């Protein structure tokens, strides 16, 4: 079965002046336009292509890689707007359509928005929606536990932190006291589950939590010292905001890492610097 708006591995059945035709099974042949055909391709080769609809609503395959696919939440920029809706640049020749009915506010050219990409069940076209809440799922309690590593997409600022989309599926929150930098909508982070709340939302922190955070950052700090010639202008007296901006950790995590490196006799410390021992 062809996965529309996704990658498919399809067999080349024939070549023409228009490109290569691929075996689409029940949907028939799918054209891979000539611009994507390489000299190494042969009859019966299996190629990995992204399948979507061209300007005439025909199935086509491309070796280009879009910025997102069906089933993804993504942060995409508006290329143009007409009387039917907005069109987003998602890395392919044909832009991604967002009907006015799927916009929270009127989208503007040049601005970017978090959207969910899906196949419209009525038109069978690939479209996007800015009303992402309706597409978020409820995680199973046993699957998401404290300490589990997750992928985080920053969604929007709130009075208490940042709303986020977790593992391309679930609603989450990074509270202000768990942030170590100035996030922006569309940023992607590595995070860790702090708790799964009773309402099904996930509280997460950037990076790791608990003792592993300090161990991991001590190694990161040692690596950065080597990369910077052995000395960094940060120490016990450094401002917490400067530490957060440079390393994306709290001052507490930074000081614990310094302590680990110092006890291991790897560094020399001053109030405003740390230097690797030669």
């Amino acid at each position: 079965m062809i996965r529309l708006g996704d990658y498919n591995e399809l067999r080349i059945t024939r070549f023409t002046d228009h490109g290569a035709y691929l075996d689409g099974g029940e949907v028939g042949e799918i054209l891979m336009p000539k611009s994507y055909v390489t000299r190494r391709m042969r009859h019966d080769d299996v190629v990995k292509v992204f399948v979507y609809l061209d300007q005439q609503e025909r199935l086509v395959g491309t070796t280009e890689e879009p910025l997102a696919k069906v089933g993804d939440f993504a942060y995409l920029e508006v290329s143009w707007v007409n009387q039917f809706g907005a069109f987003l640049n998602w890395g392919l020749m044909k832009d991604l359509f967002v009907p006015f009915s799927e916009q929270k506010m009127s989208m503007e050219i040049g601005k970017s928005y978090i959207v969910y990409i899906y196949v419209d069940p009525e038109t069978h076209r690939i479209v996007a929606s800015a009303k992402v809440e309706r597409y978020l799922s409820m995680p199973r309690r046993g699957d998401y536990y404290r300490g589990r590593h997750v992928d985080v997409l920053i969604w929007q600022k709130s009075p208490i932190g940042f709303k986020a989309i977790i593992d391309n599926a679930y609603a989450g929150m990074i509270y202000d006291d768990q942030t170590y930098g100035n996030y922006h909508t569309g940023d992607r982070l590595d995070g860790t589950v702090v708790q799964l709340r009773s309402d099904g939302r996930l509280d997460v922190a950037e990076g790791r939590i608990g003792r592993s955070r300090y161990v991991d950052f001590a190694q990161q700090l040692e690596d950065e010292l080597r990369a910077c010639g052995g000395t960094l202008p940060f120490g016990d007296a450094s401002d917490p905001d400067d530490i957060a901006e440079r390393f994306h950790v709290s001052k507490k995590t930074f000081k614990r890492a310094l302590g680990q490196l110092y006890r291991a006799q790897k560094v020399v410390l001053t109030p405003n610097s740390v230097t690797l021992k030669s």
Side-chain angles (χ1 to χ4, degrees):
M1 178 180 292
I2 295 297
R3 297 185 304 277
L4 181 61
D6 205 340
Y7 294 96
N8 295 258
E9 292 188 350
L10 304 176
R11 183 177 59 85
I12 297 174
T13 58
R14 61 191 176 99
F15 293 92
T16 72
D17 291 339
H18 302 293
Y21 281 89
L22 312 174
D23 183 5
E26 294 181 357
V27 301
E29 290 184 317
I30 296 173
L31 175 66
M32 179 170 64
K34 187 176 181 179
S35 57
Y36 307 121
V37 177
T38 68
R39 294 181 179 180
R40 293 186 176 183
M41 291 179 180
R42 297 289 185 270
H43 181 268
D44 277 341
D45 280 355
V46 174
V47 292
K48 182 179 179 180
V49 293
F50 185 84
V51 176
Y52 71 118
L53 301 174
D54 66 10
Q55 300 290 353
Q56 286 74 44
E57 305 299 332
R58 299 172 301 190
L59 289 172
V60 293
T62 175
T63 54
E64 291 182 315
E65 296 184 5
L67 299 175
K69 55 186 177 61
V70 164
D72 284 348
F73 295 89
Y75 186 56
L76 302 176
E77 182 179 339
V78 177
S79 297
W80 57 292
V81 176
N82 67 10
Q83 67 269 34
F84 302 109
F87 296 81
L88 310 179
N89 174 19
W90 64 325
L92 298 178
M93 185 176 297
K94 182 185 177 184
D95 290 330
L96 180 63
F97 180 52
V98 186
F100 283 124
S101 61
E102 294 299 325
Q103 299 177 28
K104 284 186 171 181
M105 60 187 73
S106 295
M107 291 182 166
E108 300 179 28
I109 296 173
K111 291 188 176 182
S112 298
Y113 303 85
I114 297 287
V115 297
Y116 178 75
I117 304 171
Y118 65 102
V119 176
D120 187 311
E122 295 184 3
T123 65
H124 303 291
R125 296 174 180 173
I126 303 171
V127 295
S129 173
K131 298 178 179 180
V132 297
E133 296 93 337
R134 68 174 67 161
Y135 300 102
L136 293 168
S137 304
M138 184 81 74
R140 294 191 300 180
R141 185 159 296 276
D143 291 343
Y144 282 85
Y145 48 85
R146 181 178 173 83
R148 173 171 171 166
H149 300 158
V150 291
D151 295 319
V152 180
L153 172 64
I154 298 298
W155 177 10
Q156 60 189 32
K157 185 72 175 74
S158 85
I160 57 175
F162 292 86
K163 292 183 179 180
I165 296 172
I166 311 302
D167 283 349
N168 197 46
Y170 311 114
M173 173 69 74
I174 301 182
Y175 293 97
D176 283 333
D177 62 357
Q178 295 284 358
T179 62
Y180 308 109
N182 186 22
Y183 304 145
H184 301 89
T185 298
D187 286 350
R188 292 187 180 272
L189 316 170
D190 292 325
T192 303
V193 174
V194 176
Q195 67 171 343
L196 174 58
R197 290 167 19 195
S198 59
D199 63 2
R201 293 178 180 269
L202 291 161
D203 291 343
V204 299
E206 181 183 0
R208 298 193 178 209
I209 60 174
R211 183 174 179 81
S212 63
R213 174 192 291 274
Y214 309 126
V215 174
D216 288 350
F217 180 66
Q219 182 60 57
Q220 177 188 333
L221 183 57
E222 184 178 350
D223 292 342
E224 292 205 28
L225 282 164
R226 289 198 176 91
C228 294
T231 299
L232 286 168
F234 294 89
D236 280 353
S238 296
D239 186 274
D241 290 339
D242 293 338
I243 291 171
E245 182 177 357
R246 175 63 175 80
F247 300 106
H248 290 264
V249 297
S250 67
K251 187 168 182 178
K252 177 181 177 182
T253 298
F254 179 79
K255 290 180 67 174
R256 287 210 182 186
L258 286 183
Q260 288 183 21
L261 295 176
Y262 181 76
R263 288 190 295 274
Q265 299 184 348
K266 292 183 176 182
V267 296
V268 176
L269 303 178
T270 73
N272 292 293
S273 71
V274 53
T275 301
L276 273 178
K277 287 186 176 181
S278 56

